[in-house]
Amino acid sequence: GKLSSVVAPGEPAYNDARRCKNTRVDITPRPVAVVRVSTSHQVQLAVRCAAAHGVQACARAGAHGFENDAGCTGGVAIDLQDLTDMRVNNATKEVNFGPGNTLGQLYYRLKVEHDLVVPGGAESGVGASGLFLGCGRGMLTQLHGLACDAIRGVGYVDARGDWKFANNQVNPDMLWMAKGGGGTFPGIVTNFIVQAFDAPGVLHGRDCTVPASRAKPLIKAWLRRLEEMSNPKHQMFTHIILWNSQFVKFPNLCFDCNPEQLRWFESTVDAIAAEAGSASCNTFSRSWFSQLLFEAGVDRGVIENNPAALKDRHQGYGELGPAKASKNGGYLSTSYELPDAFYDTLTNWTFGELDEAKYPWSVLVLLYNLGGPKISRVPKGATAYGGRDAKFVVHFKHQWDEASLSSHRDLTRHHRGMSRALEAYLPCRGFYNYMDGQMPCAHGGPDRWAQAFFGDV
C-alpha cells in the first residue's frame, strides 16, 4: 500500500507540514516525518513503519493541543485531517465520524443534514478527536454531559499497526481510556461512534459586563448560584471572562427555554449582576450557527459571517487570531466555597501583576462550570476522566506574538507565578484539555502527574 504523502526534514514542504497552531518557540515540533493519510489502512502502514524503525507514532487531527504534543518531535506525526467521513444512524441518533473532523465541520453537517448536535467545545477549528478523547466541555455540557461521556465506541490502530474496535462489550478497557485519556490513549483512533442530540433552535442570551474592581463580588455571587444553574432543567450555560486589560464579562445562554425557564434565567443573571454592582447587561436571541460563529470570532473578522465557514478548519481564532503563541493552564475546584484569599489572588494575578500597558489583552481567565447531574451521574472511576467531583475550572491563558522573545520570557514567567499562586487554594487537579505541561504541583514522577489529570489511576 501507499501513503498519501510523506514529508521529511529538509524538504520544502516540511515547515508547513509540521506546523501546529501554537507557535511557541520552545514547543516547535521536529518530527522525523509527517505522514498525511486518507484511509485507516494508511494509518496502519504508517504505524507499522514507525514501529519497524523504533520511533514513536503520534496522531494529529486539529493541531490545537496547547503543548503541541501531537507534533511528535523525534517521531512520525500522522496527519488525520483528511479522515472526515460521517454517518448517522437516524434510529439511535448515533454519529460515526472520522478523526479528521473539526468541531465546526461536525456541527455544520449534523445541523444541516440531521438537525442534531454532539456535546463538544465552542471553537470551530478545534479537532474533534482531541476534544472527545480529553473529555472536553462546552456550551451544552450541563444539558448533555461531557464530550467523552457520549462516546459509544471507537475504532483504532494499536501500537503494532492492527485495527481494532472498542465498546462496552469488546475491549472495554480501551473504551475506558478513550473517555478522558486524551493523548495517552494507546492507539490512533480512526473513527468515533458518539451519541448525538437534537440541535438547539433558539438561544436566548443575557450578557453583563462589570468593572474589573467588581470581579471579586461577581465571582462570589456566581459561585453561590452555580450548583443550581448547572441543573439541566434550567437549560443554561454560564461562565465568566476576565482579561488583564481591566475587562470582565459575564455571558449566559438559555437553550430553547420556555417562558418560565426564561424568567428564572433572567432573574438569576440579574441577581448575580446586582450583587456584583455597576453591571451593564443586554439581552439577545441567536441561532445555533450564529452563536458558533460568534464563538469562532466573527465579530473580530477571523471567520466569515456564513455558517458554511464553520467547515473551514483554517478560519477562526485558533489559526487567524492576532496572538498565536500561548501558555495554558487549568485547575479544577471541588468546592463552590473558597477563601477570600483565592479571589484576591486570582484578581491580583489577572489585573495587577503584569504591566497592562506593555501587554494588553495578553492574560485571559475563563471560569466554567464543570458540575451538575449530567456529569456526576457517571460513577467516579468509570472513565479515565478524573474530574467527576469538580464544580468548576479556572482556565487561564497567556498569549503573545512569538516574534517577541521578551514577551515569551515575561508571559511564561507570569504564567508560572500565577500557577504557583493558585495552587495555594486549589487542589492539584488539572483539566486535561487545558493542560499545562509544566503544572508545578504535578511534577515529581508519573504517578503524581497521572493523579492530577486522570481517574482511578
Side-chain angles (χ1 to χ4, degrees):
K2 295 183 178 180
L3 299 167
S4 293
S5 72
V6 180
V7 180
E11 296 184 22
Y14 179 72
N15 281 338
D16 285 340
R18 67 172 172 158
R19 184 175 294 122
C20 291
K21 297 298 189 291
N22 193 341
T23 62
R24 238 172 61 211
V25 293
D26 58 319
I27 55 172
T28 300
R30 293 178 175 82
V32 298
V34 180
V35 179
R36 187 162 172 172
V37 298
S38 58
T39 67
S40 59
H41 178 63
Q42 290 183 359
V43 177
Q44 291 181 264
L45 294 177
V47 170
R48 288 170 184 167
C49 179
H53 289 83
V55 297
Q56 67 173 334
C58 310
R60 190 184 74 194
H64 272 80
F66 288 137
E67 292 296 308
N68 284 354
D69 291 333
C72 208
T73 294
V76 175
I78 302 177
D79 187 341
L80 306 171
Q81 66 175 291
D82 295 325
L83 300 181
T84 56
D85 289 348
M86 190 192 82
R87 303 186 302 278
V88 175
N89 183 323
N90 290 315
T92 63
K93 296 183 181 177
E94 289 182 344
V95 185
N96 189 327
F97 65 86
N101 281 285
T102 62
L103 291 172
Q105 290 168 341
L106 272 185
Y107 290 148
Y108 182 84
R109 289 190 60 188
L110 282 172
K111 174 65 176 174
V112 169
E113 298 173 18
H114 305 277
D115 203 23
L116 294 174
V117 71
V118 289
E123 175 56 56
S124 65
V126 167
S129 292
L131 185 127
F132 272 85
L133 290 172
C135 216
R137 49 142 304 279
M139 291 183 283
L140 299 172
T141 295
Q142 275 60 48
L143 278 73
H144 302 308
L146 293 162
C148 73
D149 294 336
I151 298 175
R152 300 293 177 259
V154 292
Y156 63 96
V157 174
D158 69 12
R160 292 175 297 193
D162 296 330
W163 188 89
K164 294 182 178 178
F165 181 73
N167 62 13
N168 283 328
Q169 289 76 43
V170 181
N171 297 314
D173 55 335
M174 293 296 284
L175 180 65
W176 184 90
M177 280 294 293
K179 294 187 172 191
T184 67
F185 180 80
I188 295 180
V189 176
T190 57
N191 67 293
F192 291 82
I193 299 174
V194 169
Q195 184 65 56
F197 303 88
D198 293 336
V202 178
L203 283 61
H204 296 279
R206 187 153 179 80
D207 292 354
C208 304
T209 57
V210 303
S213 62
R214 306 306 299 167
K216 179 177 176 179
L218 172 68
I219 299 170
K220 282 187 166 185
W222 182 72
L223 286 177
R224 277 195 293 271
R225 295 168 176 84
L226 189 57
E227 183 173 18
E228 183 61 31
M229 290 191 290
S230 300
N231 191 315
K233 72 179 184 181
H234 298 304
Q235 299 176 197
M236 181 179 178
F237 170 59
T238 180
H239 65 300
I240 291 176
I241 303 169
L242 313 175
W243 279 101
N244 68 306
S245 291
Q246 306 296 308
F247 179 84
V248 180
K249 189 175 182 180
F250 171 40
N252 304 275
L253 293 169
C254 202
F255 296 89
D256 295 318
C257 289
N258 60 38
E260 182 181 351
Q261 290 170 319
L262 273 177
R263 283 192 294 272
W264 187 90
F265 168 75
E266 292 186 358
S267 65
T268 300
V269 171
D270 289 347
I272 294 171
E275 283 191 33
S278 303
S280 174
C281 301
N282 69 289
T283 301
F284 59 88
S285 293
R286 289 190 184 127
S287 69
W288 177 233
F289 277 158
S290 294
Q291 185 65 33
L292 290 173
L293 288 168
F294 175 78
E295 298 289 343
V298 69
D299 60 324
R300 303 299 181 196
V302 295
I303 187 171
E304 297 172 25
N305 190 16
N306 181 346
L310 297 168
K311 297 186 293 181
D312 186 351
R313 66 173 56 239
H314 300 297
Q315 294 194 47
Y317 281 127
E319 189 157 327
L320 299 180
K324 298 181 178 66
S326 66
K327 182 69 177 170
N328 288 265
Y331 289 90
L332 303 180
S333 174
T334 55
S335 175
Y336 295 113
E337 298 181 7
L338 292 162
D340 261 19
F342 161 76
Y343 303 100
D344 294 334
T345 298
L346 179 63
T347 54
N348 183 54
W349 278 90
T350 303
F351 303 121
E353 289 287 337
L354 193 68
D355 184 349
E356 188 270 330
K358 184 176 181 181
Y359 295 117
W361 306 100
S362 295
V363 182
L364 169 64
V365 178
L366 298 155
L367 304 181
Y368 292 120
N369 51 336
L370 269 178
K374 293 292 184 178
I375 299 173
S376 60
R377 68 180 177 179
V378 179
K380 191 174 182 179
T383 65
Y385 174 69
R388 291 291 164 193
D389 56 347
K391 309 306 181 187
F392 69 99
V393 60
V394 181
H395 176 205
F396 53 104
K397 177 180 181 180
H398 291 64
Q399 57 184 29
W400 62 93
D401 178 355
E402 193 50 55
S404 170
L405 293 180
S406 61
S407 296
H408 178 114
R409 180 196 64 232
D410 293 347
L411 288 165
T412 53
R413 181 185 300 152
H414 184 272
H415 186 279
R416 178 57 61 90
M418 188 171 183
S419 298
R420 289 193 172 118
L422 289 173
E423 286 179 0
Y425 308 102
L426 296 171
C428 189
R429 304 274 300 282
F431 190 66
Y432 188 89
N433 280 4
Y434 302 151
M435 180 183 289
D436 172 11
Q438 288 84 43
M439 185 177 179
C441 67
H443 278 255
D447 289 344
R448 193 170 180 180
W449 179 263
Q451 288 166 0
F453 289 98
F454 306 111
D456 194 23
V457 176

